[in-house]
Amino acid sequence: MESIVEIKNLYAGYGNSHIIFGIDFEAKKKDITVVVGPNGSGKSTLLKSIFGLCSVYSGEISYSGEDITGLAPHVIARKKIAYLPQTNNVFADLTIRENLVMAGYTLDPDVQAERMPEVLETFPILKKYETQKAAILSGGQRQMLAMSMALSRRPQLMLFDEPTASLSPKLAGEVLSKINEMRDSFGITIILVEQNTKRALELGDHVYLVAGGRRVFEGKSEQLLEQPDLGRLYLGLG
């Protein structure tokens, strides 16, 4: 299957703080590619490198065959790439409907009007609160809103940075199920950084284990689970 993202020999970080050292990475179209690893290992920095939110010192990031290394986030967003940070990903003082309108401000009004019902159908819990401010939503519901806002723009690639952090196991399961549904129903390629390792490995088609800013393992989820030493050392499994 064709790759949508290819990263070669990436060195990246923030200012003088180097976080990632020589990582090679790829995500294939319509796959869920999972990135796991201990805290501070560089997982989130990998996503931010793709979306132009940190410094790339060297290496190359390509998207659908185009070099996007170092482009500004607003330029990358227009290429149908969506990035969902762990927090501060919705407008708390706006209603659910207003959040969705804001998310689609670059869309033609007719297209936006057409997509709104479809998005609310995909995330029916939001329809119940459509006219209420996002501040009243639970953590899991806010993640659903952030996902629906991204979906309204019909991205080809979605980058999720620990979407289940601080959620109950039930809500975490619902969020991950919705991520899987978005891939299956809309053909969106997913790169998922996730702390809930076992659930993420169950979901993912391909997995990268990152530690100390370097790639430690790359392969199928079941292949990682077959290496108990890696799981114990880096992920606390087993």
Side-chain angles (χ1 to χ4, degrees), residues 141-194:
Q141 290 166 345
R142 287 194 186 201
Q143 286 293 354
M144 299 281 190
L145 177 56
M147 291 158 66
S148 70
M149 291 165 67
L151 181 61
S152 71
R153 301 192 298 275
R154 286 295 182 280
Q156 294 179 347
L157 171 67
M158 293 184 71
L159 313 173
F160 286 91
D161 192 357
E162 299 199 358
T164 70
S166 303
L167 300 185
S168 69
K170 180 177 182 295
L171 283 174
E174 290 176 5
V175 167
L176 292 176
S177 292
K178 281 296 179 184
I179 290 173
N180 192 50
E181 181 183 338
M182 291 168 75
R183 186 274 301 270
D184 291 345
S185 298
F186 297 96
I188 299 170
T189 304
I190 306 289
I191 301 177
L192 172 64
V193 166
E194 180 53 45

Side-chain angles (χ1 to χ4, degrees), residues 34 36 164 168-169 172-173 176 193-201:
V34 174
V36 296
T164 70
S168 69
L176 292 176
V193 166
E194 180 53 45
Q195 62 170 6
N196 191 333
T197 303
K198 287 187 176 179
R199 291 297 296 271
L201 293 179

Side-chain angles (χ1 to χ4, degrees), residues 47-63:
L47 291 190
K48 290 177 180 177
S49 298
I50 297 171
F51 203 68
L53 291 169
C54 66
S55 301
V56 174
Y57 308 125
S58 63
E60 181 179 317
I61 303 169
S62 64
Y63 167 69

Side-chain angles (χ1 to χ4, degrees), residues 94-98 126-133:
L94 299 182
T95 67
I96 277 69
R97 174 167 282 274
E98 288 168 342
L126 299 178
K127 191 164 183 61
K128 177 181 176 183
Y129 302 105
E130 190 177 345
T131 60
Q132 298 188 54
K133 289 188 176 183

